[in-house]
Amino acid sequence: MAAAAGRARSRRGMAAAAGSPRLPAWCGPLRGLLLAVLAAGSCHGNSVERKIYIPLNKTAPCVRLLNATHQIGCQSSISGDTGVIHVVEKEEDLNWVLADGPHPPYMILLDGNLFNRKVLMQLKGTSRVSGLAVSIAKPNPPQGFSPGLKCPNDGFGVYSKDYGPQYAHCNTTVWNPLGSGISYEDFDFPIFLLEDANETQVIKQCYQDHNVPRDGSGPEYPLCAMQLFSHMHAVTSTVTCMRRNSIQNTFSINPETVCDPLLDYNVWSTLQPINSSGKVDREKEVIIVATRIDSHSFFWNIAPGAESAVSSFVTHLAAAEALHKASDVHLLQRNVMFTFFQGETFDYIGSSRMVYDMEKDKFPLRLDNIHSFVELNQVALRNGSVLWMHTDPVSWMNESVQIQVRNLLDILSNSSVGANVTLREVGYSQPLPPSSFQRFLRARHIPGVVLTDHQAAFQNRYYQSMYDTPENIRMQYPEGLSPEETLEYVTDTAKSLAEVATVVARALYRLAGGANNTSAIQADPKTVTRMLYGFLIKMNNSWFQSIIKPDLKGILGDVPQHYVAVSSPVNTTYLVQYVLANLTGTVVNLTKEECLNPEKAPNTEKELYDYAWVQGSLDPNSTTRVPYCVRSTVHLTKALSPAFELRQWGSTEYSTWTESRWKEIRARIFLVASKELERPATAAPGKGTKAPGVTSHPSSQPCKTWAPDPHAQDR
């Protein structure tokens, strides 16, 4: 509950900011207002403060994350950091900030096309910069932009000094060559993303009115300044912050948590029902189909993940629906488990936890039950019709595994005959790309294949970035469509992914022992297009509204993001759960009370099925909904790294990522009246000192009528 509360405070703060009044068209009038307040010596506390500061309502911060050895991300000082604004639209503009400008420290408004490693490392190496506000590049940077690593999840996959050492650390294939690694750097100043072009323009206008250098010399006061608040409570590493949490919980009456483990839930279901609280017989074979459902970027909760995650799990969901519609699925000799892993971006949290639970007999399946493994991993950016089948070269050295892998590849290839998808083998000299399958291979030799749209390096030029958007996977809609028409419009991307889903469903049918003709197994492009719209453009749509529980309707925000949580499931997890139940479950004739309490109804077999009372669609010509009960085999299981179960916070075997707690995230601009009126303000006890550039008027310091007040929200 403590973790939930900490994250909730952060979310509420951002939500409140987002609901503030829209900014004025430009900030020129601020100067007159400010000088009038100064002249009058007015003392009206927060009411005056609200007139002096222009809040930036649509921002996303870079926050601090920690693992076993170090910290990454960004933070401000405890009272926020302030600086005179300077707009940097080309590299030469940096000279003013780094050397020539007479009013350091500077807050930089950085053009999104300059947000790269070279520039950030220059800024990191100077004391003349107090923070950074980044505008979104439009269109997306044509050269690509990936703040992730060149070798994602390095050290936590299967390849190591003991297993395929020649493939370890991306020695033979650099998967993400555009990866700059800036998401994994540590910055001691705040960095915010400006999501609203109007707010960016307000800052630029204020800069133009007050801060533009004239004939190479510094501008005159008053100057336009910016203040960013994003102080992080955790420091050093997960080992340090978890130890501090433990000490607080042991000895403090009011413990104060400083960081939380990244935690969410995996979603899984089976083609044929199994006892979710029991154990599957050892002789029963199960085929695992897997995708990840989380994404990441440099900025907190900005993780659209169109190609890196959504294209894959949407295709997976469509394949599950198509296979469930086959008439003889209940007769198949092998079961199929559809698995959606959370937290995979952060060193395979979800998949490593499922493997751990299988090894410890805490999951219905054992590793021995796994017949084969099929993973969908970035499948939207195909060149022509080609999809690539990746296998583990080390496994080929095991003759029995090699035979099974060969059979798996043949079935997949044959299933594409007649479809607009061509499956090709990568070859046996290349390792597996970063994938959940690697965590299963660490535990056991399992025949498996990873399907991707890339033969070697990623085709995705925006991997783990804010630009991995619908445009990146070529989703296009005609102009003038209403939201409902857009939801139903079948895009070319939806058609393409439905074809991939069809091939996967037919292959799974054959792998499970199906002998009938597979031509009737067909993924529905309309279902795919609805999912793409919901998971990439607008979660709050009529279809999603109809398939979730009434008490979960609040999760339907407008702009979907797929960043992993630290407590309860994020909206992506819930929606994957209920979409999967909708596509593969059955509507049953139970009352609301029976659906919510299936143990009270006869013949519900609650040990085999999950029951959900969902909102249903709107009754025609009415504002009321027609709810109903859905029976499915869909379940959630915890995606928390085993390192935290074992209290091995310095583990090198399992993910150790944590997220720092924070008190507030906010940004604002204001005018600094004159150098002569500046003098340091007295810091509140225990709160540190004001950031450089924060000043108070000497005649009205007790009520701070115009200086930034870092504790305004505490009052």
Side-chain angles (χ1 to χ4, degrees), residues 53-75:
Y53 302 110
I54 296 180
L56 302 174
N57 301 323
K58 292 286 289 181
T59 63
C62 161
V63 304
R64 175 166 291 162
L65 295 162
L66 310 99
N67 67 8
T69 56
H70 61 288
Q71 65 186 29
I72 64 173
C74 321
Q75 77 157 358

Side-chain angles (χ1 to χ4, degrees), residues 93-342:
D93 296 338
L94 287 172
N95 294 332
W96 186 263
V97 172
L98 298 175
D100 302 336
H103 303 298
Y106 285 97
M107 276 282 176
I108 296 176
L109 173 57
L110 186 69
D111 184 273
N113 288 296
L114 292 176
F115 186 56
N116 56 49
R117 185 175 186 86
K118 178 184 176 183
V119 170
L120 283 178
M121 291 303 104
Q122 285 181 274
L123 302 181
K124 187 176 180 179
T126 178
S127 61
R128 290 174 58 88
V129 173
S130 57
L132 196 60
V134 182
S135 63
I136 296 177
K138 291 185 178 179
N140 293 353
Q143 71 276 15
F145 173 76
S146 174
L149 299 171
K150 293 183 184 296
C151 191
N153 288 357
D154 186 26
F156 290 86
V158 69
Y159 302 112
S160 66
K161 62 182 177 63
D162 301 316
Y163 188 99
Q166 67 272 35
Y167 306 119
H169 312 303
C170 295
N171 283 337
T172 60
T173 306
V174 177
W175 295 105
N176 186 32
L178 292 177
S180 65
I182 57 174
S183 282
Y184 295 84
E185 292 286 342
D186 183 36
F187 297 93
D188 61 359
F189 53 80
I191 304 178
F192 279 49
L193 178 68
L194 300 172
E195 298 181 76
D196 188 336
N198 290 331
E199 292 189 347
T200 302
Q201 189 55 42
V202 167
I203 300 171
K204 286 184 177 181
Q205 186 64 56
C206 196
Y207 167 80
Q208 290 290 337
D209 290 346
H210 301 283
N211 295 12
V212 174
R214 308 295 178 187
D215 300 322
S217 60
E220 298 293 327
Y221 281 93
L223 298 176
C224 193
M226 181 185 298
Q227 188 172 33
L228 302 178
F229 296 81
S230 63
H231 181 66
M232 301 286 124
H233 295 335
V235 295
T236 309
S237 68
T238 288
V239 176
T240 300
C241 80
M242 292 300 291
R243 184 174 65 242
R244 289 178 179 175
N245 286 351
S246 182
I247 292 172
Q248 283 280 321
N249 290 328
T250 303
F251 298 107
S252 176
I253 297 175
N254 297 304
E256 193 166 309
T257 301
V258 297
C259 73
D260 303 290
L262 297 184
L263 180 160
D264 209 283
Y265 289 81
N266 297 326
V267 183
W268 65 276
S269 75
T270 51
L271 188 63
Q272 300 161 355
I274 63 173
N275 188 337
S276 61
S277 58
K279 301 299 295 183
V280 172
D281 293 341
R282 289 187 179 276
E283 66 274 12
K284 295 286 187 181
E285 292 183 323
V286 179
I287 301 154
I288 291 184
V289 197
T291 48
R292 52 179 269 198
I293 57 176
D294 66 299
S295 187
H296 181 43
S297 82
F298 187 90
F299 299 100
W300 183 80
N301 208 31
I302 301 296
E307 162 71 336
S308 62
V310 177
S311 67
S312 310
F313 73 69
V314 161
T315 304
H316 185 173
L317 288 163
E321 179 190 35
L323 185 57
H324 267 270
K325 289 180 178 178
S327 59
D328 60 337
V329 291
H330 60 289
L331 300 176
L332 297 177
Q333 66 187 76
R334 298 186 185 97
N335 207 345
V336 179
M337 187 170 89
F338 306 99
T339 313
F340 301 82
F341 292 120
Q342 261 287 14

Side-chain angles (χ1 to χ4, degrees), residues 652-671:
T652 57
E653 168 72 10
Y654 298 112
S655 170
T656 54
W657 286 105
T658 53
E659 182 185 85
S660 174
R661 290 276 185 104
W662 61 80
K663 185 175 183 181
E664 62 176 345
I665 301 289
R666 59 190 174 107
R668 57 192 185 180
I669 62 173
F670 61 100
L671 290 184

Side-chain angles (χ1 to χ4, degrees), residues 151-152 157-159 163-164 167-175 348 373 375 377 388-396 405 409 426-442 446-452 454-456 458:
C151 191
V158 69
Y159 302 112
Y163 188 99
Y167 306 119
H169 312 303
C170 295
N171 283 337
T172 60
T173 306
V174 177
W175 295 105
Y348 305 119
F373 198 105
E375 181 168 352
N377 188 339
W388 295 94
M389 300 184 290
H390 299 258
T391 56
D392 172 36
V394 179
S395 296
W396 281 92
V405 173
L409 294 173
V426 170
Y428 314 135
S429 60
Q430 183 173 283
L432 289 166
S435 51
S436 305
F437 180 40
Q438 292 200 32
R439 290 302 303 195
F440 285 79
L441 278 179
R442 281 176 71 124
I446 296 170
V449 63
V450 178
L451 300 177
T452 75
H454 54 88
Q455 181 179 9
F458 297 164

Side-chain angles (χ1 to χ4, degrees), residues 4 38 102 113 136 187 197 214 287 324 386 450 471 503 513 604 617 662 676 695 706 712:
L38 288 174
N113 288 296
I136 296 177
F187 297 93
R214 308 295 178 187
I287 301 154
H324 267 270
V386 176
V450 178
E471 292 76 18
V503 172
T604 53
S617 301
W662 61 80
E676 288 70 29
T695 58
W706 70 276

Side-chain angles (χ1 to χ4, degrees), residues 455-503:
Q455 181 179 9
F458 297 164
Q459 285 204 82
N460 186 3
R461 294 174 300 150
Y462 305 108
Y463 183 75
Q464 287 189 8
S465 91
M466 57 199 175
Y467 301 115
D468 191 5
T469 57
E471 292 76 18
N472 187 34
I473 60 171
R474 305 160 189 160
M475 283 175 61
Q476 294 179 327
Y477 297 92
E479 291 185 7
L481 295 183
S482 67
E484 198 64 26
E485 290 170 334
T486 310
L487 172 67
E488 301 295 339
Y489 181 83
V490 179
T491 62
D492 289 341
T493 303
K495 294 174 185 176
S496 174
L497 294 181
E499 291 167 353
V500 177
T502 296
V503 172

Side-chain angles (χ1 to χ4, degrees), residues 397-629:
M397 301 175 189
N398 183 310
E399 187 175 350
S400 64
V401 174
Q402 182 185 135
I403 293 171
Q404 292 173 289
V405 173
R406 181 73 266 160
N407 179 59
L408 178 56
L409 294 173
D410 289 343
I411 287 176
L412 280 163
S413 295
N414 292 336
S415 298
S416 68
V417 174
N420 190 26
V421 180
T422 303
L423 270 66
R424 293 182 182 171
E425 297 178 33
V426 170
Y428 314 135
S429 60
Q430 183 173 283
L432 289 166
S435 51
S436 305
F437 180 40
Q438 292 200 32
R439 290 302 303 195
F440 285 79
L441 278 179
R442 281 176 71 124
R444 183 181 175 85
H445 284 294
I446 296 170
V449 63
V450 178
L451 300 177
T452 75
D453 55 23
H454 54 88
Q455 181 179 9
F458 297 164
Q459 285 204 82
N460 186 3
R461 294 174 300 150
Y462 305 108
Y463 183 75
Q464 287 189 8
S465 91
M466 57 199 175
Y467 301 115
D468 191 5
T469 57
E471 292 76 18
N472 187 34
I473 60 171
R474 305 160 189 160
M475 283 175 61
Q476 294 179 327
Y477 297 92
E479 291 185 7
L481 295 183
S482 67
E484 198 64 26
E485 290 170 334
T486 310
L487 172 67
E488 301 295 339
Y489 181 83
V490 179
T491 62
D492 289 341
T493 303
K495 294 174 185 176
S496 174
L497 294 181
E499 291 167 353
V500 177
T502 296
V503 172
V504 171
R506 290 174 179 176
L508 293 173
Y509 176 81
R510 289 282 184 236
L511 282 168
N516 291 340
N517 188 296
T518 60
S519 60
I521 298 177
Q522 185 75 44
D524 185 354
K526 187 172 182 179
T527 299
V528 175
T529 212
R530 283 178 165 188
M531 289 191 285
L532 288 174
Y533 178 80
F535 284 112
L536 287 174
I537 296 176
K538 188 174 183 179
M539 282 185 166
N540 195 10
N541 62 74
S542 61
W543 185 47
F544 278 6
Q545 289 167 6
S546 69
I547 65 175
I548 64 169
K549 293 181 176 180
D551 59 347
L552 288 178
K553 60 185 179 183
I555 69 171
L556 296 178
D558 277 339
V559 182
Q561 303 295 343
H562 308 292
Y563 177 65
V564 67
V566 296
S567 53
S568 60
V570 293
N571 50 12
T572 307
T573 304
Y574 279 128
L575 287 168
V576 168
Q577 177 189 8
Y578 286 100
V579 168
L580 184 58
N582 178 268
L583 298 180
T584 64
T586 304
V587 176
V588 291
N589 186 23
L590 294 179
T591 66
K592 179 179 180 180
E593 184 180 359
E594 290 172 333
C595 191
L596 296 176
N597 303 283
E599 66 277 2
K600 296 180 180 180
N603 304 319
T604 53
E605 298 178 293
K606 60 182 180 62
E607 68 279 358
L608 299 180
Y609 296 102
D610 178 77
Y611 291 83
W613 186 257
V614 300
Q615 291 198 123
S617 301
L618 287 172
D619 196 2
N621 303 317
S622 172
T623 58
T624 60
R625 294 186 176 275
V626 183
Y628 56 92
C629 186

